[in-house]
Amino acid sequence: MTVNEIKERALESYEDFQKYIITVLCGTPRDEAGAFFPLQITGEANGSPDILRYSKANTGTGYSLETETIVTRSKGPQTYIRRIFFEGEDDYLSFIDKKKEVKNLRTAILMLQKDRKITKEQLKDWAFEHIEYLVQDYKQNVKFWSGIAINAQEEKEPEPEPQPEPQNVRTKKTVKIEEPVEIFDPQPKQSPKKAPEQQKAPEQPKTQKEREPIPETRIRLKYPGQEKPRSFFIRFRTLSIANPARLGALAPEEISLTLNDFIHLDLTDFLRDITTVILVDTEGAYLSFPRTEHCLCIFANAYTLNALKLCQWFTLYRLFYFGTISEFGFDMLSTFRISFPKTEPLCMDDATLVRFAPYLEKGTVLKNNSIPRNLTQQEKNTFAALRQNPDKSLLSQDRIPPEYIQKVMHNLLEVEPDE
């Protein structure tokens, strides 16, 4: 690894950091949002001598190193890098040169809150989708942010019920943030007067239901390919037969909790029997996953997997990811390893690929033909094999029978994980 590669990997976490800032500024307590730092950078660190030279210990800012000195017969004392990490926000932003952007983002969120035209929860959802604009420098223009707040409010409000004989209707404007002049007009425009029509009996206005407040603990995420964000709940089930999960006298097959509740699951005795956590990408594989003692199975679809990085208690358990064998499946595994480097793949290897080769389908290539970074050499070989034949580059989890998964799980749990 080189210093430039450290910067590239640090930038991979930048979007998550922006969302973390928005979440905290919109009212989520830091103890609930979780700690973003220290932020660890994964990868082989003993390749370039510049890594030591440009570390925080020598420059005063940037990444920190956890090193160990080992005396060898041939070379004498040698310094080995065990860990690369950023201690705090200033070190991180200085290194990736994003201090000004984050300052602009904070200013934008605070100005929108000050305007009071949008609730904190609405603001958080809206801001997640418009980060690229909120980091721009608009010189703290209160009038501009007032217009933005109105636009954000309109995007979140439902369409109003038709009213009898409207006179002056405020037309909803399509706002382009790149051209802020278009939203500075503080006065609502009147719709042009229509020619008189034949009088009709006025309809009785419908009574609108009062909008229920959005709970502060609800977190919304936008899935790839999905137009609108939706409420995010975690579905999970224990796989133990001898010690099933219990809620009083009930032993439910499956439980669903909000993300905010799920990240505190370790504060209960629910996990008393658990030693292994398995994250499953597709619903079919999740529901049919074979019974395995001491295991917790979680439905983590696509990139919403990364919302689970808030579950710091994952570090106390052996962690597996069962994703589709495809370029995007390996990319999800790689991205999740930014938060949990010891995550192990399940049925995402050459043996499974060869065994079920007749069921291979055409997959999708990653953007710009990129290659996920946080993969082992064996995983990179499987990834390369997929890319060689685009028409045979995806193996659906539904094609892998539970009996095969059970056998693989048995073999994996018999072996201690590599440290």
Side-chain angles (χ1 to χ4, degrees), residues 5-27:
E5 288 175 332
I6 293 176
K7 185 171 184 178
E8 289 175 4
R9 298 192 181 191
L11 284 168
E12 290 176 357
S13 300
Y14 181 51
E15 183 178 349
D16 288 336
F17 177 70
Q18 292 173 313
K19 291 183 178 181
Y20 173 79
I21 291 295
I22 292 170
T23 300
V24 172
L25 289 178
C26 288

PDB file of all heavy atoms in Angstrom, residues 5-27:
ATOM      1  N   GLU A   5      -2.782   5.399  -1.907  1.00  0.00           N
ATOM      2  CA  GLU A   5      -3.818   4.385  -1.718  1.00  0.00           C
ATOM      3  C   GLU A   5      -4.519   4.562  -0.381  1.00  0.00           C
ATOM      4  O   GLU A   5      -5.724   4.310  -0.266  1.00  0.00           O
ATOM      5  CB  GLU A   5      -3.204   2.989  -1.814  1.00  0.00           C
ATOM      6  CG  GLU A   5      -2.814   2.609  -3.231  1.00  0.00           C
ATOM      7  CD  GLU A   5      -2.097   1.272  -3.307  1.00  0.00           C
ATOM      8  OE1 GLU A   5      -1.441   0.886  -2.311  1.00  0.00           O
ATOM      9  OE2 GLU A   5      -2.197   0.608  -4.344  1.00  0.00           O
ATOM     10  N   ILE A   6      -3.795   4.999   0.640  1.00  0.00           N
ATOM     11  CA  ILE A   6      -4.430   5.304   1.927  1.00  0.00           C
ATOM     12  C   ILE A   6      -5.458   6.413   1.735  1.00  0.00           C
ATOM     13  O   ILE A   6      -6.580   6.356   2.266  1.00  0.00           O
ATOM     14  CB  ILE A   6      -3.382   5.711   2.977  1.00  0.00           C
ATOM     15  CG1 ILE A   6      -2.481   4.522   3.316  1.00  0.00           C
ATOM     16  CG2 ILE A   6      -4.062   6.231   4.248  1.00  0.00           C
ATOM     17  CD1 ILE A   6      -1.365   4.862   4.274  1.00  0.00           C
ATOM     18  N   LYS A   7      -5.090   7.419   0.943  1.00  0.00           N
ATOM     19  CA  LYS A   7      -6.024   8.529   0.703  1.00  0.00           C
ATOM     20  C   LYS A   7      -7.252   8.043  -0.060  1.00  0.00           C
ATOM     21  O   LYS A   7      -8.393   8.430   0.253  1.00  0.00           O
ATOM     22  CB  LYS A   7      -5.329   9.641  -0.079  1.00  0.00           C
ATOM     23  CG  LYS A   7      -6.194  10.884  -0.260  1.00  0.00           C
ATOM     24  CD  LYS A   7      -5.406  12.029  -0.851  1.00  0.00           C
ATOM     25  CE  LYS A   7      -6.271  13.293  -0.936  1.00  0.00           C
ATOM     26  NZ  LYS A   7      -5.503  14.438  -1.469  1.00  0.00           N
ATOM     27  N   GLU A   8      -7.047   7.184  -1.064  1.00  0.00           N
ATOM     28  CA  GLU A   8      -8.175   6.667  -1.837  1.00  0.00           C
ATOM     29  C   GLU A   8      -9.133   5.880  -0.949  1.00  0.00           C
ATOM     30  O   GLU A   8     -10.358   6.001  -1.062  1.00  0.00           O
ATOM     31  CB  GLU A   8      -7.656   5.771  -2.965  1.00  0.00           C
ATOM     32  CG  GLU A   8      -6.947   6.542  -4.078  1.00  0.00           C
ATOM     33  CD  GLU A   8      -6.343   5.618  -5.116  1.00  0.00           C
ATOM     34  OE1 GLU A   8      -6.547   4.391  -4.994  1.00  0.00           O
ATOM     35  OE2 GLU A   8      -5.667   6.114  -6.033  1.00  0.00           O
ATOM     36  N   ARG A   9      -8.597   5.089  -0.049  1.00  0.00           N
ATOM     37  CA  ARG A   9      -9.452   4.290   0.834  1.00  0.00           C
ATOM     38  C   ARG A   9     -10.128   5.156   1.884  1.00  0.00           C
ATOM     39  O   ARG A   9     -11.252   4.883   2.306  1.00  0.00           O
ATOM     40  CB  ARG A   9      -8.624   3.184   1.490  1.00  0.00           C
ATOM     41  CG  ARG A   9      -8.039   2.233   0.458  1.00  0.00           C
ATOM     42  CD  ARG A   9      -7.463   0.986   1.062  1.00  0.00           C
ATOM     43  NE  ARG A   9      -6.908   0.135   0.012  1.00  0.00           N
ATOM     44  CZ  ARG A   9      -6.518  -1.099   0.182  1.00  0.00           C
ATOM     45  NH1 ARG A   9      -6.626  -1.657   1.381  1.00  0.00           N
ATOM     46  NH2 ARG A   9      -6.009  -1.814  -0.807  1.00  0.00           N
ATOM     47  N   ALA A  10      -9.440   6.227   2.306  1.00  0.00           N
ATOM     48  CA  ALA A  10     -10.065   7.160   3.242  1.00  0.00           C
ATOM     49  C   ALA A  10     -11.252   7.863   2.582  1.00  0.00           C
ATOM     50  O   ALA A  10     -12.282   8.101   3.211  1.00  0.00           O
ATOM     51  CB  ALA A  10      -9.041   8.181   3.731  1.00  0.00           C
ATOM     52  N   LEU A  11     -11.114   8.188   1.288  1.00  0.00           N
ATOM     53  CA  LEU A  11     -12.199   8.855   0.558  1.00  0.00           C
ATOM     54  C   LEU A  11     -13.413   7.951   0.386  1.00  0.00           C
ATOM     55  O   LEU A  11     -14.529   8.438   0.220  1.00  0.00           O
ATOM     56  CB  LEU A  11     -11.699   9.321  -0.812  1.00  0.00           C
ATOM     57  CG  LEU A  11     -10.813  10.571  -0.805  1.00  0.00           C
ATOM     58  CD1 LEU A  11     -10.142  10.755  -2.148  1.00  0.00           C
ATOM     59  CD2 LEU A  11     -11.612  11.807  -0.428  1.00  0.00           C
ATOM     60  N   GLU A  12     -13.208   6.634   0.429  1.00  0.00           N
ATOM     61  CA  GLU A  12     -14.333   5.710   0.306  1.00  0.00           C
ATOM     62  C   GLU A  12     -15.312   5.858   1.468  1.00  0.00           C
ATOM     63  O   GLU A  12     -16.492   5.529   1.349  1.00  0.00           O
ATOM     64  CB  GLU A  12     -13.822   4.266   0.244  1.00  0.00           C
ATOM     65  CG  GLU A  12     -13.090   3.933  -1.049  1.00  0.00           C
ATOM     66  CD  GLU A  12     -12.507   2.529  -1.041  1.00  0.00           C
ATOM     67  OE1 GLU A  12     -12.630   1.840   0.001  1.00  0.00           O
ATOM     68  OE2 GLU A  12     -11.918   2.116  -2.060  1.00  0.00           O
ATOM     69  N   SER A  13     -14.832   6.351   2.610  1.00  0.00           N
ATOM     70  CA  SER A  13     -15.688   6.531   3.787  1.00  0.00           C
ATOM     71  C   SER A  13     -16.234   7.948   3.892  1.00  0.00           C
ATOM     72  O   SER A  13     -16.961   8.263   4.847  1.00  0.00           O
ATOM     73  CB  SER A  13     -14.897   6.197   5.062  1.00  0.00           C
ATOM     74  OG  SER A  13     -14.444   4.871   5.042  1.00  0.00           O
ATOM     75  N   TYR A  14     -15.894   8.818   2.914  1.00  0.00           N
ATOM     76  CA  TYR A  14     -16.261  10.228   3.026  1.00  0.00           C
ATOM     77  C   TYR A  14     -17.773  10.440   2.981  1.00  0.00           C
ATOM     78  O   TYR A  14     -18.325  11.229   3.751  1.00  0.00           O
ATOM     79  CB  TYR A  14     -15.576  11.022   1.918  1.00  0.00           C
ATOM     80  CG  TYR A  14     -15.872  12.503   1.948  1.00  0.00           C
ATOM     81  CD1 TYR A  14     -15.723  13.248   3.117  1.00  0.00           C
ATOM     82  CD2 TYR A  14     -16.316  13.173   0.802  1.00  0.00           C
ATOM     83  CE1 TYR A  14     -15.991  14.603   3.145  1.00  0.00           C
ATOM     84  CE2 TYR A  14     -16.582  14.528   0.827  1.00  0.00           C
ATOM     85  CZ  TYR A  14     -16.427  15.246   2.005  1.00  0.00           C
ATOM     86  OH  TYR A  14     -16.716  16.578   2.032  1.00  0.00           O
ATOM     87  N   GLU A  15     -18.471   9.735   2.091  1.00  0.00           N
ATOM     88  CA  GLU A  15     -19.932   9.893   2.005  1.00  0.00           C
ATOM     89  C   GLU A  15     -20.595   9.449   3.307  1.00  0.00           C
ATOM     90  O   GLU A  15     -21.536  10.093   3.786  1.00  0.00           O
ATOM     91  CB  GLU A  15     -20.487   9.097   0.832  1.00  0.00           C
ATOM     92  CG  GLU A  15     -21.989   9.288   0.649  1.00  0.00           C
ATOM     93  CD  GLU A  15     -22.547   8.536  -0.546  1.00  0.00           C
ATOM     94  OE1 GLU A  15     -21.746   8.037  -1.359  1.00  0.00           O
ATOM     95  OE2 GLU A  15     -23.784   8.447  -0.659  1.00  0.00           O
ATOM     96  N   ASP A  16     -20.105   8.359   3.892  1.00  0.00           N
ATOM     97  CA  ASP A  16     -20.653   7.919   5.173  1.00  0.00           C
ATOM     98  C   ASP A  16     -20.414   8.967   6.253  1.00  0.00           C
ATOM     99  O   ASP A  16     -21.276   9.199   7.120  1.00  0.00           O
ATOM    100  CB  ASP A  16     -20.005   6.596   5.597  1.00  0.00           C
ATOM    101  CG  ASP A  16     -20.480   5.434   4.746  1.00  0.00           C
ATOM    102  OD1 ASP A  16     -21.579   5.539   4.174  1.00  0.00           O
ATOM    103  OD2 ASP A  16     -19.750   4.438   4.646  1.00  0.00           O
ATOM    104  N   PHE A  17     -19.250   9.632   6.210  1.00  0.00           N
ATOM    105  CA  PHE A  17     -18.963  10.673   7.200  1.00  0.00           C
ATOM    106  C   PHE A  17     -19.898  11.864   7.022  1.00  0.00           C
ATOM    107  O   PHE A  17     -20.386  12.436   8.006  1.00  0.00           O
ATOM    108  CB  PHE A  17     -17.506  11.129   7.070  1.00  0.00           C
ATOM    109  CG  PHE A  17     -17.152  12.250   8.005  1.00  0.00           C
ATOM    110  CD1 PHE A  17     -17.062  12.023   9.374  1.00  0.00           C
ATOM    111  CD2 PHE A  17     -16.927  13.535   7.534  1.00  0.00           C
ATOM    112  CE1 PHE A  17     -16.751  13.065  10.255  1.00  0.00           C
ATOM    113  CE2 PHE A  17     -16.616  14.569   8.390  1.00  0.00           C
ATOM    114  CZ  PHE A  17     -16.528  14.328   9.763  1.00  0.00           C
ATOM    115  N   GLN A  18     -20.173  12.256   5.765  1.00  0.00           N
ATOM    116  CA  GLN A  18     -21.111  13.357   5.523  1.00  0.00           C
ATOM    117  C   GLN A  18     -22.486  13.037   6.104  1.00  0.00           C
ATOM    118  O   GLN A  18     -23.117  13.886   6.746  1.00  0.00           O
ATOM    119  CB  GLN A  18     -21.216  13.626   4.022  1.00  0.00           C
ATOM    120  CG  GLN A  18     -19.952  14.196   3.400  1.00  0.00           C
ATOM    121  CD  GLN A  18     -20.058  14.283   1.892  1.00  0.00           C
ATOM    122  OE1 GLN A  18     -20.469  13.337   1.234  1.00  0.00           O
ATOM    123  NE2 GLN A  18     -19.694  15.423   1.337  1.00  0.00           N
ATOM    124  N   LYS A  19     -22.963  11.807   5.885  1.00  0.00           N
ATOM    125  CA  LYS A  19     -24.265  11.413   6.414  1.00  0.00           C
ATOM    126  C   LYS A  19     -24.238  11.358   7.942  1.00  0.00           C
ATOM    127  O   LYS A  19     -25.244  11.656   8.597  1.00  0.00           O
ATOM    128  CB  LYS A  19     -24.674  10.067   5.834  1.00  0.00           C
ATOM    129  CG  LYS A  19     -24.986  10.132   4.346  1.00  0.00           C
ATOM    130  CD  LYS A  19     -25.453   8.789   3.800  1.00  0.00           C
ATOM    131  CE  LYS A  19     -25.811   8.899   2.327  1.00  0.00           C
ATOM    132  NZ  LYS A  19     -26.285   7.610   1.774  1.00  0.00           N
ATOM    133  N   TYR A  20     -23.104  10.986   8.497  1.00  0.00           N
ATOM    134  CA  TYR A  20     -22.965  10.978   9.958  1.00  0.00           C
ATOM    135  C   TYR A  20     -23.108  12.400  10.503  1.00  0.00           C
ATOM    136  O   TYR A  20     -23.803  12.630  11.502  1.00  0.00           O
ATOM    137  CB  TYR A  20     -21.603  10.392  10.321  1.00  0.00           C
ATOM    138  CG  TYR A  20     -21.263  10.473  11.798  1.00  0.00           C
ATOM    139  CD1 TYR A  20     -21.799   9.550  12.697  1.00  0.00           C
ATOM    140  CD2 TYR A  20     -20.416  11.457  12.287  1.00  0.00           C
ATOM    141  CE1 TYR A  20     -21.489   9.615  14.047  1.00  0.00           C
ATOM    142  CE2 TYR A  20     -20.099  11.527  13.629  1.00  0.00           C
ATOM    143  CZ  TYR A  20     -20.632  10.610  14.510  1.00  0.00           C
ATOM    144  OH  TYR A  20     -20.328  10.683  15.845  1.00  0.00           O
ATOM    145  N   ILE A  21     -22.459  13.373   9.842  1.00  0.00           N
ATOM    146  CA  ILE A  21     -22.555  14.773  10.261  1.00  0.00           C
ATOM    147  C   ILE A  21     -24.004  15.249  10.194  1.00  0.00           C
ATOM    148  O   ILE A  21     -24.522  15.891  11.124  1.00  0.00           O
ATOM    149  CB  ILE A  21     -21.662  15.659   9.367  1.00  0.00           C
ATOM    150  CG1 ILE A  21     -20.181  15.374   9.622  1.00  0.00           C
ATOM    151  CG2 ILE A  21     -21.962  17.137   9.602  1.00  0.00           C
ATOM    152  CD1 ILE A  21     -19.703  15.743  10.993  1.00  0.00           C
ATOM    153  N   ILE A  22     -24.693  14.931   9.098  1.00  0.00           N
ATOM    154  CA  ILE A  22     -26.092  15.345   8.946  1.00  0.00           C
ATOM    155  C   ILE A  22     -26.958  14.725  10.040  1.00  0.00           C
ATOM    156  O   ILE A  22     -27.798  15.387  10.649  1.00  0.00           O
ATOM    157  CB  ILE A  22     -26.615  14.930   7.555  1.00  0.00           C
ATOM    158  CG1 ILE A  22     -25.905  15.734   6.469  1.00  0.00           C
ATOM    159  CG2 ILE A  22     -28.124  15.133   7.453  1.00  0.00           C
ATOM    160  CD1 ILE A  22     -26.183  15.242   5.059  1.00  0.00           C
ATOM    161  N   THR A  23     -26.754  13.433  10.303  1.00  0.00           N
ATOM    162  CA  THR A  23     -27.551  12.732  11.314  1.00  0.00           C
ATOM    163  C   THR A  23     -27.400  13.376  12.683  1.00  0.00           C
ATOM    164  O   THR A  23     -28.384  13.589  13.401  1.00  0.00           O
ATOM    165  CB  THR A  23     -27.125  11.247  11.377  1.00  0.00           C
ATOM    166  OG1 THR A  23     -27.341  10.646  10.100  1.00  0.00           O
ATOM    167  CG2 THR A  23     -27.935  10.492  12.424  1.00  0.00           C
ATOM    168  N   VAL A  24     -26.168  13.708  13.059  1.00  0.00           N
ATOM    169  CA  VAL A  24     -25.918  14.322  14.372  1.00  0.00           C
ATOM    170  C   VAL A  24     -26.493  15.731  14.427  1.00  0.00           C
ATOM    171  O   VAL A  24     -27.151  16.118  15.408  1.00  0.00           O
ATOM    172  CB  VAL A  24     -24.408  14.339  14.669  1.00  0.00           C
ATOM    173  CG1 VAL A  24     -24.120  15.148  15.930  1.00  0.00           C
ATOM    174  CG2 VAL A  24     -23.882  12.911  14.837  1.00  0.00           C
ATOM    175  N   LEU A  25     -26.301  16.527  13.378  1.00  0.00           N
ATOM    176  CA  LEU A  25     -26.811  17.902  13.364  1.00  0.00           C
ATOM    177  C   LEU A  25     -28.340  17.934  13.357  1.00  0.00           C
ATOM    178  O   LEU A  25     -28.938  18.917  13.809  1.00  0.00           O
ATOM    179  CB  LEU A  25     -26.281  18.652  12.147  1.00  0.00           C
ATOM    180  CG  LEU A  25     -24.795  19.007  12.157  1.00  0.00           C
ATOM    181  CD1 LEU A  25     -24.397  19.695  10.866  1.00  0.00           C
ATOM    182  CD2 LEU A  25     -24.453  19.912  13.346  1.00  0.00           C
ATOM    183  N   CYS A  26     -28.966  16.880  12.863  1.00  0.00           N
ATOM    184  CA  CYS A  26     -30.426  16.841  12.829  1.00  0.00           C
ATOM    185  C   CYS A  26     -31.032  16.234  14.089  1.00  0.00           C
ATOM    186  O   CYS A  26     -32.204  15.853  14.093  1.00  0.00           O
ATOM    187  CB  CYS A  26     -30.897  16.070  11.594  1.00  0.00           C
ATOM    188  SG  CYS A  26     -30.642  16.987  10.050  1.00  0.00           S
ATOM    189  N   GLY A  27     -30.237  16.117  15.139  1.00  0.00           N
ATOM    190  CA  GLY A  27     -30.816  15.789  16.434  1.00  0.00           C
ATOM    191  C   GLY A  27     -30.545  14.413  16.985  1.00  0.00           C
ATOM    192  O   GLY A  27     -30.905  14.137  18.133  1.00  0.00           O
TER     193      GLY A  27
END
